[in-house]
Amino acid sequence: NAGVTQTPKFQVLKTGQSMTLQCAQDMNHEYMSWYRQDPGMGLRLIHYSVGAGITDQGEVPNGYNVSRSTTEDFPLRLLSAAPSQTSVYFCASSYSWGGGEETQYFGPGTRLLVL
Amino acid sequence: RKEVEQDPGPFNVPEGATVAFNCTYSNSASQSFFWYRQDCRKEPKLLMSVYSSGNEDGRFTAQLNRASQYISLLIRDSKLSDSATYLCVVKRNTNAGKSTFGDGTTLTVKP
């Protein structure tokens, strides 16, 4: 299994540009999430999904859109990039919640710089 | 007040030392608790789940105090390889899939 994969690894954008961060998992996990991590801080939840066709907002959703058309893929779209969105973005998936099967598996991250 | 709070450290300890981290959470409805480890510029990885009765995995012991709403992580006989940031994670089972992370505690183990 490849686990959770993310592309690209690095990206530089200009203010106002849009882009999509890709995330895929091959573990048949129901739950997928997007987080951002700013320097010296923990992860903050942007959006999450509890299954194909179902998404919901997290703590910091403004400026981002998501969709979940398949179990495997959960892309994150930046609508109009701003310098405040400079961060490291992590995608995560998990099989279930409760019963001890709640481990979140993270992708390697996308480092985004917005100029 | 943040929902999950950790002492950011850094904790600088010699090899072989015992070190303990605490994490407090504000929402009494929280049901699931975890410690994740994050190495510099890498993705977080699960270190251990935290169970009500406390649990141990080798040199690592996790405890939960629901009355005081905190969890702890104890590392015995610290190794150089334990140097990392330790993230406390809290989940409310009423909101499946949604976890809240603390800002992390940084540990540096020195020779």
Side-chain angles (χ1 to χ4, degrees), chain B residues 49-98:
Chain B
S49 301
V50 186
Y51 302 122
S52 295
S53 55
N55 48 299
E56 188 174 306
D57 182 3
R59 298 182 292 108
F60 299 85
T61 301
Q63 297 210 317
L64 167 64
N65 185 318
R66 286 190 187 273
S68 300
Q69 295 185 198
Y70 78 82
I71 67 174
S72 64
L73 176 68
L74 182 76
I75 305 175
R76 290 182 299 278
D77 189 22
S78 299
K79 311 290 185 193
L80 295 176
S81 57
D82 293 335
S83 298
T85 296
Y86 292 84
L87 301 168
C88 171
V89 183
V90 172
K91 198 173 191 181
R92 284 174 273 160
N93 284 357
T94 54
N95 203 341
K98 189 172 179 179

